Amino acid sequence: MVEKIKPLSNTCNFSGIKPIMMDLPYPPIQVKEKNRAYADLLSVDYCGSVSELSAITQYINNENRLSYGMCQTAQTLLGIASAEMVHLQKLGEMIILLGGQVDFIAKMRGGRRQMWTPGYLNIPDNVKKMLLADMEAEKAAINQYEAHIRMINDCYVNAVLARIIKDEEYHLMLLQTLLEEVDYA
C-alpha cells in the first residue's frame, strides 16, 4: 500500500488583515507648489535606507519567517507592513506633485543618488532581535520625518508627514507589546 504524503502548509490565516494605523483621517494630498528639493527629501523617506520601502520589505520578510510558529505576531507584522504601503503611496503622490520622480532612487544632499537595495534591511535570526530591529527602524523613521518637517516649508506636505508619524508611533507601541509577549513566553 502506498502511503499518501501530506503537503506542508501554513495554517496561519491572513485573509482580512487590514493596515494597522491610527483611526484618524489623512490630510488631502496636495502641495503649495512644485519644489524639487522637497521631492528629493521625500524620496529618501520613500526609498532610502530609512524608508517606507525598507520597512515594508523588512516587515514582510519577518512576517514570512514567523507565520509558521507565531501566527498572531506574523498577522500583526503584515498589518503594519500594509500601513507602510499606504505611507509609500502617499509619499509617491507628493513626490510627483512636487515635480520629482518615483524611481526607487533616493536623492540625497550634494547630488548623491542611491538606488534602494535590500542591503538596507536588518534580518536577524530570532523573533526578539526581529522585533528590536523593527522598533529601531520605526524610531529612525520618526526621527527622519521630524527632521524633514523642520526642513520643509509646505504646510500640506508637513501635515501628511505628521500624520504618518502618528502611525509610526502606534507601530512602535505595538512592537513593544509584541516584544513583551515574547519576553514572557
Side-chain angles (χ1 to χ4, degrees), residues 14 16-24 26 75-87 90 163 167 170-171 174:
F14 293 101
I17 300 292
K18 293 183 170 55
I20 296 176
M21 47 191 9
M22 294 294 293
D23 189 19
L24 298 168
Y26 269 86
Q75 290 170 330
T76 300
L77 295 182
L78 182 60
I80 293 172
S82 297
E84 306 296 4
M85 289 180 206
V86 171
H87 301 163
K90 292 184 180 309
R163 174 60 186 81
D167 287 340
Y170 184 52
H171 297 163
L174 289 172

Side-chain angles (χ1 to χ4, degrees), residues 20-22 24 26 52 59 80 83-84 87 134-135 137-146 149 161-177:
I20 296 176
M21 47 191 9
M22 294 294 293
L24 298 168
Y26 269 86
E52 298 299 339
Y59 280 121
I80 293 172
E84 306 296 4
H87 301 163
D134 290 341
M135 290 171 65
E138 291 289 353
K139 289 175 190 174
I142 291 166
N143 290 337
Q144 183 169 286
Y145 281 125
E146 288 171 344
I149 286 171
L161 297 182
R163 174 60 186 81
I164 290 173
I165 288 172
K166 290 185 185 313
D167 287 340
E168 307 299 17
E169 291 170 338
Y170 184 52
H171 297 163
L172 193 53
M173 183 207 61
L174 289 172
L175 292 166
Q176 180 64 46
T177 301

